[in-house]
């Protein structure tokens, strides 16, 4: 299934971000550019510390980049754009402990909608993530996976154009992670949400994505963009046994180790390998 | 801060603010400096500090002991909870009149009043400190064959010590406050409190009264800073953990 | 009382739990009961001048403070002459100081620059023991109620202010990010995120402020006052009527306990959610 984008929801180009301290300038993002089409799930993958979270914060408008443009719906952003939803990695800190689950989910639209409409939307959201029965509990009464589901419900309540997810499943155990991944896929299939997700887990990236943007280590650039044509709906067992999944997985893994796309490296013999990281022998899967 | 002080000064000079109750800040500061250099004032400062220190030491001894015991034995804690919660809300200077009757106008009355006020933060902080010692650390020590007392001495107390110290820091402010309060009550001119009261009622210029109060503040700050430095030396690992 | 008592609750199977509960309840009052009995015996037998037995003190409390007609809720003259004025001053000073402390604390907690500007002065103000100001208050402003309330307010303000500032500044950034990303308007952000997140620390400040207010109301009534519990204490001291002094102490103690308990109740209600939150994610 190729990306059915009639619209480009998010467009990032020439993004550069530096962290300046008295002593030095650290370049987190050197030159990053990609697009996210409507209804797509785009996953950004990269080694730890490569600035993935910085990237997401910039797209969310929480951080102003040193250089580059971000455009949502064709319009360059200035601060936080409209129509965003976001899910953070640390659910225990991103949910408000003084509000019950329902109130947490209602939070983004509290001032925008009136009470009956708000409640209806919140209940819809909670039902979509399967937590209708927990609406009156406090977040700390729920398990980690359920808390993150509340966070997802909260992100969806305002009917966002674009949902940003910052390593959302990194803080839960493996089994919960699979459940949450499937939940995301189900929501995507049903509601057609556009998602930009950041992760360091290669399996997750291939499993979830329509397209994977691979970032190099800092100063980060886009090493490659990998299209994932695996059939939807996806399944934890079947999809992950599919040879194409394995191949894509290996490709992404290879890209993360060396900057070169292994698919490109399979070139006519004699073509020089430029820019290969010499500090480590490049393990190129053939 | 300097701007605010200068601003106030300006307003006073220009007579926008009433000088009868609020003297010129620069004059006050000048007085403060002079007071801090004057032997008679410093003598009173030392008097106050002596009372505060004695009371603090007493409070520390009692507070650490009781707090520690309460922290280790739930039963003891249960027995002591009610008396502690009944006595704690009583303002320490309230017992000062009684103490003065019993012990007369001297150091003991003041020190005991100080101790009565200062003991609570130390006791409670020590109690919480010991209770919050990671049970895993204690179990690990026990698994190495350390007896109950040894565990207490080598695991619980070092862990709880920073908390107890925080209690002492809080208590030091209370100690100073109560010591000066008692002096005000006694009204015989001893200590910082006495000095200010006498200066005020004796018709001394306002700058002196304010200046002495500011000087007291300097003393308080010095104590605070001193304790902070002591904390950093005693518990350097705290900085890494954050508070 | 809340935190200490709660940490000592019993656990286990129902019937056993009840037994344990009863025995623990006994333990709680044991010391107090023993102390009272010992005191009674010791003072009764060998009459100590300064420590009259409870059998004399308690009836005196009743005589002075609880002997009025039922129309005045059985409250005696002394209650109206002394307890009410003290309570009134303290409450006025405390609420004034607390409001100012919270308002300023929120403001300064949010505006980093303003805080840097003002902080040295605040630290300094906090370091000046409130009792030194008493001298100034009396001399400059006289012996009326106003200056007393002002002093109490000043004393209560600082702990509330500093704790509120800390609480506000310590709101975990993620929570604010959430509000930003969902484009929540500023007012909602303040009231719906910053204040609730800071509330635990604010209450810690309020508790300290309350104790200071109690100390100061008694202190301000030692000198230059004509009523109030502090005045009563000094009066009894001067007239050498020890029983009256102890009676006043008992009443003061009861007052203190009651006020602390009231604050504790309010705190528990407002912070229902906080007790469950484990590990102090927002510490």
């Amino acid at each position: 299934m190729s990306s059915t984008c009639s619209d480009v929801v998010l467009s990032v180009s020439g993004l550069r971000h530096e962290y300046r301290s008295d002593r030095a300038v650290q370049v987190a993002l050197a030159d990053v550019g990609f697009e996210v089409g409507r209804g797509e799930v785009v996953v950004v993958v990269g080694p730890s510390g490569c600035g993935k979270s910085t990237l997401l914060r910039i797209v969310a408008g929480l951080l102003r980049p040193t250089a580059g443009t971000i455009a949502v719906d064709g319009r360059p952003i200035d601060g936080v754009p409209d129509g965003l939803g976001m899910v953070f990695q640390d659910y225990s800190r991103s949910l408000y402990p003084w509000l019950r689950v329902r109130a947490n989910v209602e939070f983004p639209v509290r001032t925008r909608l009136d009470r009956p409409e708000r409640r209806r939307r919140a209940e819809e959201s909670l039902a979509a993530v399967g937590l209708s029965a927990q609406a009156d509990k406090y977040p700390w009464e729920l398990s980690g996976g359920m808390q993150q589901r509340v966070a997802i419900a909260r992100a969806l309540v305002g009917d966002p154009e674009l949902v940003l997810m910052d390593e959302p499943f990194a803080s839960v155990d493996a089994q919960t992670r699979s459940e949450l991944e499937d939940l995301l896929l189900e929501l995507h299939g049903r509601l057609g949400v556009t998602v930009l997700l950041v992760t360091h887990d290669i399996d997750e990236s291939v499993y979830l994505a329509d397209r994977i943007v691979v970032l190099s280590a800092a100063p980060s650039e886009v090493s490659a963009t990998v299209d994932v044509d695996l059939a939807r709906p996806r399944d934890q067992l079947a999809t992950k046994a599919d040879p194409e999944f394995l191949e894509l997985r290996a490709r992404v893994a290879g890209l993360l180790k060396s900057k070169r796309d292994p698919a490109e490296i399979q070139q006519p013999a004699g073509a020089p390998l430029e820019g290969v990281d010499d500090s480590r022998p490049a393990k190129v899967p053939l | 801060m300097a701007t605010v002080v200068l601003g106030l000064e300006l307003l006073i000079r220009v007579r926008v603010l009433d000088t009868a109750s609020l003297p010129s800040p620069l004059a006050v500061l000048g007085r403060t400096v002079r007071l801090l250099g004057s032997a008679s004032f410093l003598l009173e400062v030392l008097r106050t500090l002596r009372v505060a220190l004695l009371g603090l030491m007493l409070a520390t001894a009692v507070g650490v002991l009781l707090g520690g015991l309460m922290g280790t034995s739930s039963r003891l804690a249960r027995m002591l909870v009610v008396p502690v919660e009944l006595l704690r809300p009583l303002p320490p200077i309230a017992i000062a009149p009684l103490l003065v009757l019993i012990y007369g106008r001297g150091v003991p009355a003041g020190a005991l009043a100080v101790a009565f006020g200062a003991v609570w933060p130390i006791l409670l902080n020590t109690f919480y400190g010991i209770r919050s010692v990671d049970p895993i650390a204690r179990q690990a020590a026990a698994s190495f064959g350390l007896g109950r007392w040894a565990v207490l001495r080598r695991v619980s107390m070092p862990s709880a010590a920073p908390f107890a110290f925080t209690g002492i820091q809080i208590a030091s402010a209370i100690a100073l406050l109560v010591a000066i309060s008692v002096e005000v009550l006694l009204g015989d001119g001893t200590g910082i409190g006495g000095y200010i009261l006498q200066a005020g009622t004796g018709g001394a210029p306002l700058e002196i009264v304010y200046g002495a109060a500011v000087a007291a503040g300097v003393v308080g700050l010095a104590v605070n800073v001193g304790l902070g430095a002591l904390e950093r030396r005693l518990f350097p690992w705290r900085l890494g953990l954050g508070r | 009382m809340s935190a200490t008592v709660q940490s000592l609750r019993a656990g286990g199977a129902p019937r056993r739990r009840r037994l344990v509960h009863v025995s623990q309840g006994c333990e709680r009052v044991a010391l107090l009961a023993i102390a009272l009995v010992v005191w009674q015996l010791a003072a009764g037998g060998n009459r100590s001048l300064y420590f009259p037995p409870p059998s004399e003190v308690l009836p005196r409390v009743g005589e002075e403070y609880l002997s009025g007609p039922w129309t005045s809720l059985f409250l005696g003259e002394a209650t109206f002459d002394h307890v009410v004025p003290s309570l009134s001053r303290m409450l006025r000073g405390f609420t004034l100081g607390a409001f100012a402390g919270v308002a300023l604390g929120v403001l300064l907690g949010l505006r980093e620059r303003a805080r840097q500007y003002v902080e040295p002065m605040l630290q300094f103000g906090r370091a000046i023991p409130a009792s030194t100001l008493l001298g100034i208050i009396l001399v400059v402003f006289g012996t009326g109620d106003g200056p007393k309330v002002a002093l109490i307010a000043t004393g209560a303000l600082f702990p509330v202010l500093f704790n509120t500032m800390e609480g506000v500044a310590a709101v975990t950034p993620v929570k604010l990010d959430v509000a930003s990303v969902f484009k929540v308007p500023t007012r909602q952000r303040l009231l719906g995120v910053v204040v609730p997140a800071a509330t635990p620390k604010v209450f810690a400040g309020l508790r300290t402020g309350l104790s200071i207010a109690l100390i100061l109301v008694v202190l301000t009534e030692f000198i230059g006052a004509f009523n109030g519990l502090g005045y009563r204490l000094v009066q009894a001291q001067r007239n050498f009527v020890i029983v009256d002094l102890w009676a006043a102490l008992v009443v003061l103690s009861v007052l203190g306990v009651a006020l602390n308990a009231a604050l504790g109740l309010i705190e528990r209600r407002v912070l229902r959610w906080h007790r469950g939150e484990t590990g102090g994610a927002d510490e």
Side-chain angles (χ1 to χ4, degrees), chain C residues 67-114:
Chain C
S67 57
W70 67 273
T71 42
S72 322
L73 290 175
F74 296 111
L75 296 172
E77 227 181 80
T79 314
F80 291 108
D81 284 342
H82 301 298
V83 176
V84 170
S86 285
L87 199 56
S88 148
R89 287 183 195 122
M90 198 229 76
L91 285 175
R92 272 184 288 159
F94 177 66
T95 33
L96 190 61
F99 263 106
V102 171
L104 276 176
V106 169
L107 198 68
L108 290 174
L110 292 174
R111 297 253 164 280
E112 176 81 36
R113 210 170 300 170

Coordinates of all heavy atoms in Angstrom, one line a residue, chain C residues 67-114:
Chain C
S67 N -17.7 28.5 81.5 CA -18.7 28.6 82.5 C -19.9 29.5 82.2 O -20.6 30.0 83.1 CB -18.1 29.0 83.8 OG -17.4 30.2 83.6
G68 N -20.0 29.8 81.0 CA -21.1 30.8 80.6 C -22.4 30.2 80.5 O -22.6 28.9 80.6
P69 N -23.4 31.0 80.3 CA -24.8 30.5 80.1 C -24.9 29.8 78.8 O -24.1 30.1 77.9 CB -25.7 31.8 80.2 CG -24.7 32.9 79.8 CD -23.4 32.5 80.3
W70 N -26.0 29.0 78.6 CA -26.1 28.2 77.4 C -26.3 29.2 76.2 O -26.0 28.8 75.1 CB -27.2 27.2 77.5 CG -28.6 27.8 77.6 CD1 -29.2 28.2 78.7 CD2 -29.4 28.1 76.5 NE1 -30.4 28.7 78.4 CE2 -30.6 28.7 77.1 CE3 -29.4 28.0 75.1 CZ2 -31.7 29.1 76.3 CZ3 -30.4 28.4 74.3 CH2 -31.6 29.0 74.9
T71 N -26.7 30.3 76.5 CA -26.9 31.3 75.4 C -25.6 31.7 74.7 O -25.6 32.0 73.5 CB -27.6 32.6 75.8 OG1 -27.0 32.9 77.1 CG2 -29.1 32.4 76.0
S72 N -24.6 31.6 75.5 CA -23.3 31.9 74.8 C -22.5 30.6 74.6 O -21.3 30.6 74.6 CB -22.4 32.8 75.8 OG -23.2 33.7 76.4
L73 N -23.2 29.6 74.3 CA -22.6 28.3 74.0 C -21.7 27.8 75.2 O -20.8 27.1 75.0 CB -21.7 28.4 72.8 CG -22.4 28.5 71.4 CD1 -21.4 28.7 70.3 CD2 -23.3 27.3 71.1
F74 N -22.1 28.1 76.3 CA -21.4 27.7 77.6 C -20.0 28.4 77.7 O -19.3 28.0 78.6 CB -21.3 26.2 77.7 CG -22.6 25.5 77.8 CD1 -23.1 24.7 76.7 CD2 -23.4 25.7 78.9 CE1 -24.3 24.1 76.8 CE2 -24.6 25.0 79.0 CZ -25.1 24.2 78.0
L75 N -19.7 29.2 76.8 CA -18.4 29.8 76.9 C -18.3 30.9 77.9 O -19.2 31.7 78.0 CB -18.0 30.4 75.5 CG -17.9 29.3 74.4 CD1 -17.7 30.0 73.0 CD2 -16.7 28.4 74.7
G76 N -17.3 30.8 78.7 CA -17.2 31.8 79.8 C -16.6 33.1 79.4 O -16.2 33.4 78.3
E77 N -16.5 34.0 80.4 CA -16.1 35.3 80.2 C -14.7 35.3 79.6 O -14.4 36.1 78.7 CB -16.0 36.0 81.6 CG -16.6 37.4 81.5 CD -16.5 38.0 82.9 OE1 -15.4 38.5 83.2 OE2 -17.5 37.9 83.7
A78 N -13.8 34.6 80.2 CA -12.4 34.6 79.8 C -12.3 34.2 78.3 O -11.4 34.7 77.6 CB -11.6 33.7 80.6
T79 N -13.2 33.4 77.8 CA -13.1 33.0 76.4 C -13.3 34.2 75.6 O -12.6 34.5 74.6 CB -14.2 32.0 76.1 OG1 -14.2 30.9 77.1 CG2 -13.9 31.4 74.7
F80 N -14.3 35.0 75.9 CA -14.6 36.2 75.1 C -13.5 37.3 75.3 O -13.2 38.0 74.4 CB -16.0 36.7 75.4 CG -17.1 35.8 75.0 CD1 -17.8 35.1 75.9 CD2 -17.3 35.6 73.6 CE1 -18.8 34.3 75.4 CE2 -18.3 34.8 73.2 CZ -19.1 34.1 74.1
D81 N -13.0 37.3 76.5 CA -12.0 38.4 76.8 C -10.7 38.1 76.1 O -10.0 39.0 75.7 CB -11.8 38.5 78.3 CG -12.9 39.3 78.9 OD1 -13.7 40.0 78.2 OD2 -13.0 39.2 80.2
H82 N -10.4 36.8 76.1 CA -9.0 36.5 75.6 C -8.9 35.6 74.4 O -8.2 35.8 73.5 CB -8.2 35.8 76.8 CG -8.2 36.7 78.0 ND1 -7.6 37.9 78.0 CD2 -8.7 36.6 79.2 CE1 -7.7 38.5 79.1 NE2 -8.4 37.7 79.9
V83 N -9.7 34.5 74.4 CA -9.6 33.6 73.3 C -10.0 34.2 72.0 O -9.3 34.1 71.0 CB -10.4 32.3 73.6 CG1 -10.3 31.4 72.4 CG2 -9.9 31.6 74.8
V84 N -11.1 34.9 72.1 CA -11.7 35.5 70.8 C -10.7 36.5 70.2 O -10.4 36.4 69.0 CB -13.1 36.0 71.1 CG1 -13.5 36.8 69.9 CG2 -14.1 34.9 71.3
P85 N -10.2 37.4 71.0 CA -9.3 38.4 70.4 C -8.1 37.8 69.8 O -7.7 38.1 68.7 CB -8.9 39.3 71.6 CG -10.0 39.1 72.6 CD -10.5 37.8 72.4
S86 N -7.5 36.8 70.5 CA -6.3 36.1 70.0 C -6.6 35.5 68.7 O -5.9 35.6 67.7 CB -5.8 35.1 71.0 OG -5.2 35.7 72.1
L87 N -7.7 34.7 68.7 CA -8.1 34.0 67.5 C -8.3 34.9 66.4 O -7.9 34.7 65.2 CB -9.4 33.2 67.8 CG -9.7 32.0 66.9 CD1 -8.5 31.0 66.8 CD2 -10.9 31.3 67.4
S88 N -9.0 36.0 66.7 CA -9.3 36.9 65.6 C -8.1 37.5 65.0 O -7.9 37.6 63.8 CB -10.2 38.0 66.2 OG -10.0 39.2 65.5
R89 N -7.1 38.0 65.9 CA -5.9 38.5 65.3 C -5.1 37.5 64.5 O -4.6 37.8 63.4 CB -5.0 39.0 66.5 CG -5.5 40.2 67.2 CD -4.5 40.6 68.2 NE -5.2 41.6 69.1 CZ -5.3 41.5 70.4 NH1 -4.8 40.4 71.0 NH2 -5.9 42.4 71.1
M90 N -5.0 36.3 65.1 CA -4.3 35.3 64.4 C -4.9 35.0 63.0 O -4.1 34.9 62.0 CB -4.2 34.1 65.3 CG -3.1 33.2 64.9 SD -3.6 31.5 64.7 CE -4.5 31.6 63.2
L91 N -6.2 34.8 63.0 CA -6.8 34.4 61.7 C -6.7 35.5 60.7 O -6.4 35.3 59.5 CB -8.3 34.1 62.0 CG -8.5 32.7 62.6 CD1 -9.9 32.5 62.9 CD2 -7.9 31.6 61.7
R92 N -6.8 36.8 61.2 CA -6.7 37.9 60.2 C -5.3 37.9 59.7 O -5.1 38.0 58.5 CB -7.1 39.2 60.9 CG -8.5 39.5 60.8 CD -8.8 40.9 61.5 NE -8.7 40.8 62.9 CZ -8.5 41.9 63.6 NH1 -8.4 43.1 63.0 NH2 -8.4 41.8 64.9
G93 N -4.3 37.9 60.6 CA -3.0 37.9 60.1 C -2.6 36.8 59.2 O -2.0 36.9 58.2
F94 N -3.0 35.6 59.6 CA -2.7 34.4 58.8 C -3.3 34.4 57.4 O -2.6 34.2 56.4 CB -3.1 33.1 59.6 CG -2.8 31.9 58.8 CD1 -1.5 31.5 58.6 CD2 -3.8 31.1 58.3 CE1 -1.3 30.3 57.9 CE2 -3.6 29.9 57.6 CZ -2.3 29.5 57.4
T95 N -4.6 34.7 57.3 CA -5.2 34.7 56.0 C -4.6 35.8 55.1 O -4.3 35.6 54.0 CB -6.7 34.9 56.1 OG1 -7.0 35.8 57.2 CG2 -7.4 33.6 56.2
L96 N -4.3 36.9 55.7 CA -3.7 38.0 55.0 C -2.3 37.6 54.4 O -2.0 37.6 53.2 CB -3.5 39.2 55.9 CG -3.1 40.5 55.2 CD1 -4.1 40.9 54.1 CD2 -2.9 41.6 56.2
G97 N -1.5 37.1 55.3 CA -0.2 36.6 54.9 C -0.2 35.5 53.9 O 0.6 35.4 53.0
A98 N -1.1 34.6 54.2 CA -1.2 33.4 53.3 C -1.6 33.8 51.9 O -1.0 33.3 50.9 CB -2.2 32.4 53.8
F99 N -2.6 34.6 51.8 CA -3.1 35.1 50.4 C -1.9 35.8 49.7 O -1.6 35.5 48.5 CB -4.3 36.0 50.6 CG -5.6 35.3 50.4 CD1 -6.4 35.1 51.4 CD2 -5.9 34.9 49.1 CE1 -7.6 34.4 51.3 CE2 -7.1 34.2 48.9 CZ -7.9 33.9 50.0
A100 N -1.3 36.7 50.4 CA -0.2 37.5 49.8 C 0.9 36.5 49.4 O 1.5 36.6 48.3 CB 0.3 38.5 50.8
G101 N 1.2 35.6 50.3 CA 2.2 34.6 50.0 C 2.0 33.8 48.8 O 2.8 33.6 48.0
V102 N 0.7 33.3 48.7 CA 0.4 32.4 47.5 C 0.4 33.3 46.2 O 1.0 32.9 45.2 CB -1.0 31.8 47.7 CG1 -1.4 31.1 46.4 CG2 -0.9 30.8 48.8
A103 N -0.2 34.4 46.3 CA -0.2 35.3 45.1 C 1.2 35.6 44.6 O 1.5 35.4 43.5 CB -1.1 36.5 45.4
L104 N 2.0 36.2 45.5 CA 3.3 36.5 45.2 C 4.1 35.3 44.7 O 4.9 35.3 43.8 CB 4.0 37.2 46.3 CG 3.8 38.7 46.5 CD1 4.4 39.2 47.8 CD2 4.3 39.4 45.3
G105 N 3.9 34.2 45.5 CA 4.7 33.0 45.2 C 4.4 32.5 43.8 O 5.3 32.1 43.1
V106 N 3.1 32.5 43.4 CA 2.8 32.1 42.0 C 3.4 33.0 41.0 O 4.0 32.6 40.0 CB 1.3 32.0 41.8 CG1 0.9 31.8 40.4 CG2 0.6 30.9 42.6
L107 N 3.3 34.3 41.3 CA 3.8 35.3 40.3 C 5.3 35.1 40.2 O 5.8 35.0 39.1 CB 3.5 36.7 40.9 CG 3.6 37.8 39.9 CD1 2.5 37.6 38.9 CD2 3.5 39.1 40.5
L108 N 6.0 35.0 41.3 CA 7.5 34.9 41.2 C 7.9 33.6 40.8 O 8.9 33.4 40.1 CB 8.1 35.3 42.6 CG 7.9 36.7 43.0 CD1 8.4 36.9 44.4 CD2 8.7 37.6 42.1
G109 N 7.1 32.6 41.0 CA 7.5 31.2 40.6 C 7.5 31.1 39.1 O 8.3 30.4 38.5
L110 N 6.6 31.9 38.5 CA 6.5 31.8 37.0 C 7.5 32.7 36.3 O 7.9 32.4 35.2 CB 5.1 32.1 36.6 CG 4.0 31.1 37.0 CD1 2.6 31.6 36.7 CD2 4.3 29.8 36.3
R111 N 7.7 33.9 36.9 CA 8.5 34.8 36.2 C 10.0 34.8 36.7 O 10.3 35.3 37.7 CB 8.0 36.2 36.4 CG 6.6 36.4 35.9 CD 6.6 37.3 34.7 NE 5.4 37.2 33.9 CZ 5.1 36.2 33.1 NH1 6.0 35.2 32.9 NH2 3.9 36.1 32.5
E112 N 10.8 34.0 36.0 CA 12.1 33.8 36.4 C 12.9 35.1 36.7 O 13.6 35.2 37.7 CB 12.9 32.9 35.4 CG 14.3 32.7 35.6 CD 14.6 31.6 36.6 OE1 13.8 30.6 36.6 OE2 15.5 31.7 37.4
R113 N 12.7 36.0 35.8 CA 13.5 37.2 35.9 C 13.1 38.0 37.1 O 13.9 38.5 37.8 CB 13.3 38.0 34.6 CG 14.5 38.9 34.3 CD 14.5 39.5 32.9 NE 14.4 38.5 31.9 CZ 14.2 38.8 30.6 NH1 14.0 40.0 30.3 NH2 14.1 37.8 29.7
A114 N 11.8 38.1 37.3 CA 11.3 38.9 38.4 C 11.8 38.3 39.7 O 12.2 38.9 40.7 CB 9.8 38.9 38.5

